[in-house]
Amino acid sequence: MRHFGHLSPAVRERVFHQEPCEFSAASSARVLAAALGATLYSPATRPKLADDILKQVGRGVVSMVLCLEDSIDDADVPAAEENLVRQFTDLHSRGREVPLLFIRVREPGQIPDLAERLGDSVRMLTGFVLPKFTEERGVPFLEALVAAEAATGQRLFAMPVLESPELLHLETRGQTLSGICHTVEKYRDRVLALRLGVTDFCSAYGLRRSPDMTAYDVQLIAAVIADVVNVLGRADGTGFTVTGPVWEYFRLQERMFKPQLRRSPFMEVRAEELRTNLIEHDLDGLLREIELDRANGLTGKTCIHPSHVLPVHALSVVSHEEFSDAQDILSPGRNGGGVMRSAYTNKMNEVKPHRAWAERTLLRAEVFGVAREEIGFVELLTAGLSGE
């Protein structure tokens, strides 16, 4: 699979200076963590889940979470587990390409149990999502995952969700973060990414952000995101991929503030209708939050609606300018440092301070591609929506 693989070769050639690479569930953890992109969540109770998964492949989805936790009623868990086994068996029999598939469980015991019940179709599974992760609650989940991996012979990754009140509350945050850090470091080869459960954070204080506001406008949430990245997202080799929070809105809401999308980028490519559609579906707020995610050290995003996937991926494509800067900074012979004017003559590139950024940018370029010099996110959105 590859990002934007649902587009025709001709369209990809038109918009990309460097096309996204191909990858699979067997690729390195480094590539998979960067390639998660917009991870689409779906309740495990959906009766035509296998069809839904294959349909999303055709829309550019490359990672999905099938949820047995908060998205379904407690009483529905046994039936949802049975449904997952049926749907995985169905998918396996079709022999079609599927996204990276993860199951979000409730209890550690579900991991080895489901892995066994899936039988041969466990080969379709990339890993498990571990809810309300702390050191105390996380260790049993990770031990169960290691046991399931040994029993099935299938490489399985974990994606812990950081969403517990202990992490949010100021008086326990430091100790909780330290415990999480110790735990995920011990199981580093199994932990693909850490996911932020911002909805649970908000619930602890009875909060819910409106579609006019991003997670970073809610100061309680912005503070905990900053601390999580500070401890767990460092670029010195000790950090992990931390993914962006969910955007909850996907239909027209009554607006209080002006739209956040500038008109001129859309007018330049005669895409004013696209701008209007994005605003009407509250996706202008999503686009702003995606940009703020990256500025704050987050990669990818949790999504609960298919309409959110393309904006996340379009804004993940590396611009030609970013690519040029990153290549200059990492070019051979510059290990001693120094400073230079960018090829676009609009900024300073300083080799040592910007090296970690450049390395991350080239990894993103590998999995999401590099846009041609004249191509911006509007053109990428338009191409993705056309699907040609």
Side-chain angles (χ1 to χ4, degrees):
M1 74 186 87
R2 68 165 75 192
H3 283 289
F4 297 95
H6 64 299
L7 303 185
S8 70
V11 172
R12 292 202 304 270
E13 183 178 3
R14 176 172 60 82
V15 299
F16 285 108
H17 168 76
Q18 173 184 298
E19 290 195 24
C21 71
E22 293 187 351
F23 60 92
S24 71
S27 297
S28 69
R30 167 184 170 275
V31 167
L32 293 182
L36 286 168
T39 301
L40 184 64
Y41 275 55
S42 176
T45 50
R46 292 180 68 89
K48 295 185 178 180
L49 189 57
D51 290 335
D52 294 340
I53 290 169
L54 295 177
K55 181 179 180 180
Q56 296 310 324
V57 171
R59 294 178 172 178
V61 173
V62 304
S63 65
M64 291 186 69
V65 172
L66 314 175
C67 186
L68 292 168
E69 208 222 0
D70 287 347
S71 68
I72 66 173
D73 190 276
D74 297 347
D76 292 336
V77 173
E81 290 180 347
E82 292 177 4
N83 186 53
L84 271 183
V85 173
R86 285 195 304 271
Q87 302 295 336
F88 266 78
T89 301
D90 185 6
L91 279 175
H92 188 246
S93 69
R94 299 193 199 189
R96 299 267 300 279
E97 179 182 88
V98 298
L100 304 174
L101 295 177
F102 301 84
I103 297 175
R104 184 179 183 180
V105 292
R106 295 184 174 212
E107 304 293 340
Q110 288 178 297
I111 293 176
D113 178 61
L114 283 169
E116 179 182 2
R117 290 164 63 185
L118 286 173
D120 290 341
S121 67
V122 75
R123 308 302 169 213
M124 315 293 288
L125 182 65
T126 302
F128 290 90
V129 174
L130 316 179
K132 299 173 178 58
F133 192 92
T134 62
E135 181 177 23
E136 180 181 0
R137 288 193 289 270
V139 169
F141 277 110
L142 289 167
E143 289 177 343
L145 182 136
V146 171
E149 188 177 70
T152 62
Q154 171 75 359
R155 182 177 70 162
L156 297 170
F157 286 111
M159 290 202 293
V161 185
L162 310 185
E163 56 187 346
S164 65
E166 300 98 312
L167 185 57
L168 180 62
H169 296 158
L170 186 60
E171 67 274 18
T172 54
R173 186 180 306 165
Q175 182 179 355
T176 302
L177 272 172
S178 179
I180 291 171
C181 185
H182 172 76
T183 303
V184 294
E185 174 59 34
K186 182 179 178 182
Y187 292 88
R188 174 173 288 275
D189 59 336
R190 301 298 199 285
V191 177
L192 188 62
L194 305 174
R195 311 201 71 89
L196 286 165
V198 164
T199 301
D200 279 44
F201 287 156
C202 287
S203 73
Y205 287 88
L207 305 176
R208 187 173 192 179
R209 69 188 189 276
S210 74
D212 295 305
M213 296 185 179
T214 71
Y216 303 93
D217 294 313
V218 184
Q219 294 302 299
L220 279 167
I221 305 306
V224 72
I225 291 175
D227 287 345
V228 166
V229 174
N230 191 325
V231 175
L232 296 165
R234 298 176 186 178
D236 59 0
T238 66
F240 294 81
T241 295
V242 183
T243 65
V246 68
W247 182 259
E248 297 179 351
Y249 298 96
F250 51 87
R251 289 182 181 170
L252 181 63
Q253 311 286 326
E254 183 178 359
R255 305 185 69 93
M256 181 179 295
F257 301 109
K258 291 182 179 179
Q260 301 179 63
L261 281 180
R262 289 174 54 241
R263 187 182 301 272
S264 56
F266 293 85
M267 293 181 66
E268 290 171 4
V269 294
R270 299 180 181 179
E272 182 67 13
E273 184 179 351
L274 172 60
R275 177 180 181 272
T276 300
N277 289 337
L278 291 170
I279 292 169
E280 287 180 348
H281 289 82
D282 290 317
L283 297 186
D284 55 321
L286 168 63
L287 294 174
R288 175 166 172 75
E289 186 166 283
I290 296 166
E291 289 288 273
L292 288 170
D293 285 342
R294 184 175 305 119
N296 285 276
L298 307 183
T299 301
K301 200 165 188 65
T302 295
C303 293
I304 45 82
H305 195 272
S307 64
H308 299 171
V309 172
L310 180 58
V312 173
H313 292 170
L315 284 174
S316 297
V317 174
V318 173
S319 71
H320 188 271
E321 181 175 346
E322 290 175 308
F323 185 63
S324 174
D325 288 339
Q327 283 192 313
D328 284 349
I329 291 164
L330 296 176
S331 62
R334 297 198 186 276
N335 292 335
V339 63
M340 73 202 87
R341 184 173 63 174
S342 72
Y344 276 69
T345 68
N346 60 358
K347 73 177 74 65
M348 173 192 73
N349 287 330
E350 196 167 353
V351 173
K352 289 183 177 179
H354 291 145
R355 177 168 291 275
W357 169 85
E359 291 171 346
R360 286 187 171 185
T361 298
L362 290 189
L363 176 57
R364 182 159 56 90
E366 181 180 349
V367 297
F368 284 100
V370 179
R372 289 192 179 275
E373 188 170 0
E374 70 279 8
I375 297 295
F377 81 94
V378 176
E379 290 90 343
L380 290 165
L381 281 173
T382 303
L385 287 169
S386 71
E388 297 177 352

